[in-house]
Amino acid sequence: MAAIFQGIGATTALSSINSLDSKRFRLSSHRLLSGGKGSFFVVRSDGRSKPGPNPRGRRPEQLITNAVATKADSSAASTTSKPGHELLLFEALREGLEEEMDRDPCVCVIGEDVGHYGGSYKVTKGLATKYGDLRVLDTPIAENSFTGMAIGAAMTGLRPIVEGMNMGFLLLAFNQISNNCGMLHYTSGGQFKIPVVIRGPGGVGRQLGAEHSQRLESYFQSIPGIQMVACSTPYNAKGLMKAAIRSENPVILFEHVLLYNLKERIPDEDYVLNLEEAEMVRPGEHITILTYSRMRYHVMQAAKTLVNKGYDPEVIDIRSLKPFDLYTIGNSVKKTHRVLIVEECMRTGGIGASLTAAISENFHDYLDAPIVCLSSQDVPTPYAGTLEDWTVVQPAQIVAAVQQLCQ
Amino acid sequence: MALTHRSSNLLRPFTTAVFSSTPSLRRPFSSSADDTTTITIETSVPFTGHKCDPPSRSVETSPKELMTFFRDMAKMRRMEIAADSLYKAKLIRGFCHLYDGQEAVAVGMEAAITKKDCIITAYRDHCIYLGRGGTLLECFSELMGRQGGCSKGKGGSMHFYKKDSGFYGGHGIVGAQVPLGCGLAFAQKYSKDETVSFALYGDGAANQGQLFEALNMAALWDLPAILVCENNHYGMGTAEWRAAKSPAYYKRGDYVPGLKVDGMDALAVKQACKFAKEHALKNGPIILEMDTYRYHGHSMSDPGSTYRTRDEISGVRQERDPVERIRKLILSHELATEKELKDIEKEVRKEVDEAIAQAKESPMPDPSELFTNVYVKGYGVEAFGADRKEVRAVLP
C-alpha cells in the first residue's frame, strides 16, 4: 500500500513510497488492523526523505495517541456474526463517554447543565449520579473561563471533556481554544500536553435561528495543534468519542443537532476508531462524493436517485476534518477521477474550500473535471423554514451536480 | 495633565518604615548558615483585609532566608537589567517585559510554598521562572531564541514554562491565564493533592471578564486558587485610576476574601502567601493584591516615562526598593557586612555575564524543530496541516 505525496520546492517529486505503517499498532483489548492501511512518507525540511520509525517497537504508552480497529471488520461483525445492540446516537456518545470514565479516573466532563440536568441533548444523562458532581461538573454560563479551566486542568494531567451546549457558544472561548489549547504544547517546547476534548452540537437545525445554527469547523480549522473530527452515525460517534478521549492532543468533536436521534445497531465489544481516517460509505466507480456529518444523509438520499439514473457514486464520509485523510480520498480520486464535495459549512473559507485546495494540489493529474464543492450559502441562517432549507445543500442539488460533472 | 494626581500615594505610606526585631546573634555571614536562628521582623505596612482577618505583621525569618532573598533578588535584578541591554543590542527581539522592581513578589511567594504548588502568570515571567528553579542559562537561551531555552527557543520571552517545578507559564493574552490557574486548582482539588495554585495577573488584567467568571467558579466549588494581583499601578500606559472604577483590587472579589499586601517587602509577601495557602486549602479562593512597582516601562518598546514622572520612579526606587530593604535588614541585624553583600552582587553579576556568554554561543534550533511538538505523536509524522503533509516549505 502506498501513499503518494508531492514534494514542494527543492525536494524532488517523490513517487510511491511505502515506509511507515503508522496505523498498525495494538491496544490491549483491540484487534490489530488487518493489512497495511496507511503509510506516510516523512519529508523533512532539508529535502532528504527518510522513512519514519516502525511503530511496532514502540512503548505501549505512545500507542494511545491513535486508535485502532477497522470499520470493515466491526461493521461486518455488527451486522452478521455478533448480535450487537441498538441505540440512538446520543446514547452511543454517552456509552463511549461512560466507558472511558470507567476506564480512567482522570476523565471528567465540564459543561453547562451536564450534571443534574443530564445534558441539553441527554448525552451526559445519569453520569452525575454515577460519578459525582466533581467529575461531571455543572458550570455557570461562562464558556471562556470554563474552557480555560479545562485546559488548565489538562495541563496537570486530567482529561476533561468540555461540552459546549451549542458549538456556537464556543466562539466565546476562541481565545482559550486557539492560544492555550492548540499552541501550549508547542510554545512550552513539548512540556505540556493538553488532552482535552471539546464537543458539542452544531450545524443547521430546525429553524433555530442564525446564532444557533453555526458551523464552527471553518473557524477552528486553521488553529495549529488541534484535531477536528465530525461524527455522523452512532457507530462512529462512539468510536470517535473514545478515540478523542484517549488522544493526547486536543480534539474537537463536532456533533450535529439533527443527528442525535439516529438509531443504529453497534457492536457490543469495545472498539475505538481512528481519529484521522475517513469512512467509505458506498464504494463506486463514477464519481467521488466527499461529505461529513449531516450532509452524509443528503448525499445518500441523492445516491439512491443517482443509482436509479444509472450513476455509481462513491461516497466517503471524511470524518476527520483536520487532518484530512488524503490517503483514502486519494485512492478514490485515482479510481473515479471526479470529485464532488458536499458540506454544510459556508462557502467562504469552509472545510470544502480547504479540501478542494488539498485535492487540487495533491491529485491534480488524476482529475478529469474541476472539483465541485457544494456548500451552504454565505448567509446567516434564516428562521423561515423554506429559506432555511435553501441555505443548506439539498439532495436535488447534489443529483444535478453529479449529472453535470459526469457528462 | 493629572499625572501627579496619584503618584504621591505610591510613596506616602512608607515613610514610616520601622524595623524592629529581637536581638540577633552577631556573626558574619559566612558562619551564620544556621537555620535555627529565628528573627522576627515587623512589616512596615500592616495588611488590609477584606472579609477576612489579616495575618499578623510579625514575620519569622532566619538569616539564611534573608541572605537567600538578597541573593535571589540581586540575581533577578541583574538578569532583567542584562536583558534590557541585550534587547537594545537586538539579541532579544519581539516583546520583552521586565520585572525589576517587582522581585519581592517572586521571592516572597517562593519562600511560602513548595514546588508542588502551582504558579501561573502572564508575560512578565522571567523572574518567576527563575524563582521556580529555572537557570539563568535557560532564561537567556530562551530570550535569544536558542535551542537550549526552557521552551526550546519556540516560546520566547512570554512563554517560559517549567512543568517539573509547577510553573505553568508564561501567557501572552492578558487575563487568559486566570481561568487556567483556576483549572490548575480544580485539578488539585480533583486529585486531592492538598496543594494550591497561584494565578498572578496585573492591575490591567483585573478588569477582564474571564477573571470574574473564573473567580465565581472557584468560589462556587471551593477551589484552592489564590488570585494574586500584582498591582504596579499602570496597565501599560494607563494608570489604575483611569482604568478601574474601583482600584481596590483586593475588594473586587466581593464575596471572596482579599488581602492587600506591600508587594515591595519580601517578608510581607511571604507572610501573605503562607496565610493565603492555609486559607485556600480550607475555605476556597482568596485574592491577594500586591502593591508593587515596575521601574521599566511596560515592555522594552515603552520608555515608561510618558505616563509617569521620572521623579516618581526614582522616588519609589529610593524609598521602597525591595533589594535595598533586604540589604538594610541584613546590615542592621549584622548578618553580613557591606563588603560581603557587595561581593554577592559581584558574584551574581558574574553568573549572569557567564550565562549570557554561554547562551550567545549556544545553537539556534534545528529547522526540523519548526514541525516538532505541534502534536503529541510518537511516530514519524510530527505535524500536519489540512493535508497531512509534513513540509509546506523548504527552509533555507
Side-chain angles (χ1 to χ4, degrees):
Chain A
M1 297 256 178
I4 296 192
F5 291 99
Q6 274 178 303
I8 286 195
T11 62
T12 52
L14 305 158
S15 50
S16 81
I17 315 103
N18 184 0
S19 56
L20 168 63
D21 193 339
S22 69
K23 292 184 203 165
R24 190 200 290 272
F25 39 76
R26 189 199 292 270
L27 278 170
S28 50
S29 58
H30 297 75
R31 278 168 289 210
L32 185 64
L33 251 179
S34 53
K37 258 304 225 58
S39 308
F40 297 108
F41 196 86
V42 172
V43 179
R44 297 281 171 185
S45 57
D46 56 4
R48 283 180 293 118
S49 42
K50 69 175 200 267
N54 186 327
R56 265 171 292 204
R58 295 274 165 173
R59 299 190 315 278
E61 298 80 55
Q62 291 186 300
L63 303 181
I64 298 179
T65 55
N66 261 338
V68 86
T70 58
K71 160 95 165 83
D73 281 9
S74 318
S75 66
S78 69
T79 49
T80 57
S81 50
K82 299 266 161 83
H85 56 286
E86 229 179 32
L87 40 55
L88 304 175
L89 197 145
F90 73 88
E91 289 169 348
L93 286 167
R94 189 195 316 146
E95 219 177 71
L97 192 45
E98 202 167 338
E99 282 172 21
E100 289 304 304
M101 287 180 83
D102 274 332
R103 182 177 172 273
D104 185 351
C106 287
V107 178
C108 57
V109 183
I110 296 180
E112 292 160 11
D113 279 330
V114 291
H116 296 186
Y117 191 82
S120 49
Y121 291 93
K122 293 180 281 196
V123 173
T124 50
K125 190 157 180 199
L127 296 182
T129 15
K130 184 170 175 193
Y131 297 108
D133 280 345
L134 195 64
R135 267 186 99 179
V136 186
L137 194 63
D138 273 331
T139 64
I141 304 177
E143 281 79 7
N144 195 359
S145 40
F146 72 68
T147 311
M149 269 186 59
I151 296 168
M155 282 167 90
T156 62
L158 285 195
R159 306 181 83 92
I161 295 150
V162 176
E163 173 173 313
M165 194 182 270
N166 185 294
M167 268 299 187
F169 306 161
L170 290 179
L171 283 174
L172 288 162
F174 205 111
N175 173 53
Q176 296 288 354
I177 296 173
S178 167
N179 290 334
N180 293 330
C181 188
M183 300 194 199
L184 260 174
H185 187 63
Y186 190 83
T187 54
S188 66
Q191 286 179 68
F192 295 111
K193 289 190 312 224
I194 319 283
V196 79
V197 176
I198 298 175
R199 50 161 290 267
V204 177
R206 296 260 179 267
Q207 296 186 256
L208 298 176
E211 289 168 346
H212 292 75
S213 314
Q214 297 192 71
R215 283 77 80 192
L216 256 49
E217 45 279 16
S218 44
Y219 304 151
F220 288 143
Q221 66 179 318
S222 20
I223 300 176
I226 60 163
Q227 283 188 253
M228 304 201 309
V229 285
C231 62
S232 47
T233 64
Y235 178 81
N236 61 35
K238 178 175 173 186
L240 290 175
M241 169 73 99
K242 291 177 68 125
I245 295 174
R246 294 192 196 187
S247 168
E248 301 292 335
N249 291 305
V251 179
I252 306 188
L253 173 58
F254 290 93
E255 301 154 12
H256 197 287
V257 277
L258 293 180
L259 298 183
Y260 278 127
N261 290 323
L262 280 178
K263 194 182 270 205
E264 193 186 355
R265 182 164 228 103
I266 65 169
D268 286 325
E269 61 269 3
D270 209 11
Y271 69 94
V272 189
L273 290 178
N274 191 324
L275 282 176
E276 293 142 27
E277 203 174 339
E279 184 180 327
M280 177 70 71
V281 185
R282 179 191 189 285
E285 292 293 322
H286 292 164
I287 181 170
T288 300
I289 304 183
L290 301 172
T291 180
Y292 66 93
S293 194
R294 181 188 169 213
M295 287 295 118
R296 167 190 173 134
Y297 296 94
H298 281 208
V299 167
M300 289 313 288
Q301 212 178 325
K304 281 203 208 106
T305 319
L306 287 168
V307 165
N308 287 342
K309 291 191 189 220
Y311 294 96
D312 189 15
E314 176 153 296
V315 180
I316 295 179
D317 181 344
I318 61 175
R319 276 197 337 216
S320 170
L321 304 178
K322 184 180 164 97
F324 294 131
D325 181 6
L326 280 183
Y327 176 71
T328 311
I329 294 173
N331 281 349
S332 178
V333 172
K334 282 177 225 154
K335 187 167 52 157
T336 65
H337 309 297
R338 290 180 163 79
V339 181
L340 173 67
I341 301 172
V342 180
E343 55 157 0
E344 203 174 321
C345 258
M346 309 265 198
R347 181 133 199 97
T348 309
I351 298 289
S354 305
L355 193 50
T356 308
I359 298 175
S360 303
E361 261 175 21
N362 286 301
F363 306 115
H364 186 260
D365 291 337
Y366 295 93
L367 290 170
D368 282 348
I371 303 173
V372 174
C373 179
L374 295 178
S375 356
S376 297
Q377 305 307 313
D378 277 325
V379 295
T381 314
Y383 166 72
T386 45
L387 292 181
E388 186 187 63
D389 281 340
W390 281 104
T391 56
V392 294
V393 180
Q394 298 295 336
Q397 292 166 293
I398 303 173
V399 172
V402 171
Q403 287 179 309
Q404 171 94 357
L405 263 178
C406 284
Q407 266 164 1
Chain B
M1 268 296 285
L3 270 180
T4 51
H5 173 90
R6 298 293 172 101
S7 53
S8 50
N9 280 350
L10 297 166
L11 306 179
R12 214 194 307 131
F14 306 101
T15 49
T16 56
V18 160
F19 291 123
S20 71
S21 66
T22 55
S24 62
L25 303 161
R26 292 169 168 259
R27 264 194 265 157
F29 167 57
S30 43
S31 57
S32 73
D34 180 350
D35 239 340
T36 57
T37 326
T38 320
I39 309 176
T40 313
I41 309 218
E42 209 171 271
T43 65
S44 45
V45 179
F47 299 103
T48 330
H50 165 75
K51 297 220 164 119
C52 70
D53 287 321
S56 124
R57 276 170 78 168
S58 308
V59 187
E60 293 198 345
T61 179
S62 67
K64 183 157 181 256
E65 187 170 68
L66 288 176
M67 295 308 297
T68 319
F69 278 7
F70 182 80
R71 179 180 279 272
D72 286 344
M73 287 204 279
K75 202 180 340 177
M76 290 175 182
R77 177 67 60 92
R78 194 61 233 143
M79 174 177 78
E80 295 297 72
I81 296 183
D84 179 314
S85 348
L86 285 177
Y87 192 90
K88 289 183 176 134
K90 292 212 196 312
L91 280 165
I92 301 179
R93 315 301 300 272
F95 292 124
C96 189
H97 305 88
L98 299 177
Y99 200 71
D100 53 324
Q102 298 182 213
E103 299 93 351
V105 177
V107 294
M109 191 177 289
E110 279 304 320
I113 60 178
T114 68
K115 292 287 189 285
K116 292 242 178 323
D117 297 309
C118 307
I119 298 186
I120 188 170
T121 181
Y123 41 76
R124 217 175 284 280
D125 54 355
H126 308 164
C127 298
I128 310 226
Y129 175 74
L130 216 55
R132 284 262 97 179
T135 65
L136 285 168
L137 178 61
E138 282 166 356
C139 276
F140 286 115
S141 303
E142 185 64 33
L143 285 172
M144 293 198 253
R146 308 298 164 111
Q147 208 171 357
C150 48
S151 304
K152 299 192 189 153
K154 299 200 280 195
S157 160
M158 297 188 283
H159 299 286
F160 280 27
Y161 303 91
K162 196 160 168 60
K163 182 166 191 186
D164 49 14
S165 42
F167 180 50
Y168 289 81
H171 294 275
I173 304 294
V174 169
Q177 77 277 11
V178 180
L180 289 183
C182 291
L184 299 173
F186 173 73
Q188 285 170 331
K189 184 173 177 119
Y190 191 98
S191 326
K192 302 194 176 65
D193 277 347
E194 296 296 313
T195 51
V196 296
S197 292
F198 286 82
L200 278 61
Y201 61 96
D203 46 296
N207 299 315
Q208 272 269 320
Q210 47 189 326
L211 201 150
F212 296 97
E213 292 177 13
L215 196 58
N216 176 41
M217 288 193 276
L220 202 55
W221 303 319
D222 282 327
L223 302 182
I226 298 160
L227 271 64
V228 180
C229 178
E230 292 180 290
N231 183 7
N232 54 26
H233 307 283
Y234 295 94
M236 201 161 99
T238 309
E240 60 175 347
W241 56 271
R242 287 181 64 225
K245 183 74 179 170
S246 158
Y249 298 108
Y250 69 109
K251 286 195 189 155
R252 297 252 286 233
D254 185 22
Y255 40 83
V256 172
L259 194 65
K260 186 168 166 135
V261 186
D262 176 7
M264 304 296 255
D265 181 353
L267 293 167
V269 171
K270 173 184 161 192
Q271 181 86 322
C273 291
K274 224 159 77 174
F275 170 77
K277 178 168 174 173
E278 279 161 29
H279 184 280
L281 284 173
K282 279 205 308 279
N283 305 332
I286 180 170
I287 300 183
L288 297 179
E289 183 189 332
M290 303 284 176
D291 190 346
T292 177
Y293 199 84
R294 54 167 162 84
Y295 299 140
H296 271 90
H298 163 75
S299 70
M300 286 306 299
S301 28
D302 170 27
S305 49
T306 52
Y307 46 87
R308 48 186 193 174
T309 60
R310 289 195 201 278
D311 287 337
E312 180 189 296
I313 306 173
S314 49
V316 175
R317 202 189 274 271
Q318 253 175 312
E319 308 267 333
R320 298 175 62 194
D321 186 83
V323 187
E324 284 312 305
R325 179 188 296 254
I326 296 290
R327 186 199 301 267
K328 284 197 196 111
L329 257 180
I330 291 176
L331 293 176
S332 74
H333 287 263
E334 291 172 355
L335 302 173
T337 63
E338 183 85 42
K339 179 170 179 312
E340 278 164 355
L341 293 182
K342 283 238 180 311
D343 283 342
I344 293 180
E345 283 182 321
K346 281 212 196 81
E347 268 171 52
V348 159
R349 202 188 175 109
K350 193 155 146 291
E351 264 177 58
V352 168
D353 288 340
E354 274 169 12
I356 294 181
Q358 207 181 338
K360 274 190 197 163
E361 300 302 312
S362 68
M364 295 292 267
D366 195 66
S368 64
E369 284 283 322
L370 179 61
F371 301 102
T372 57
N373 293 133
V374 181
Y375 292 94
V376 178
K377 282 273 195 183
Y379 314 99
V381 181
E382 290 287 1
F384 37 78
D387 60 358
R388 231 191 318 213
K389 228 188 273 198
E390 168 97 8
V391 178
R392 298 297 298 155
V394 176
L395 301 178

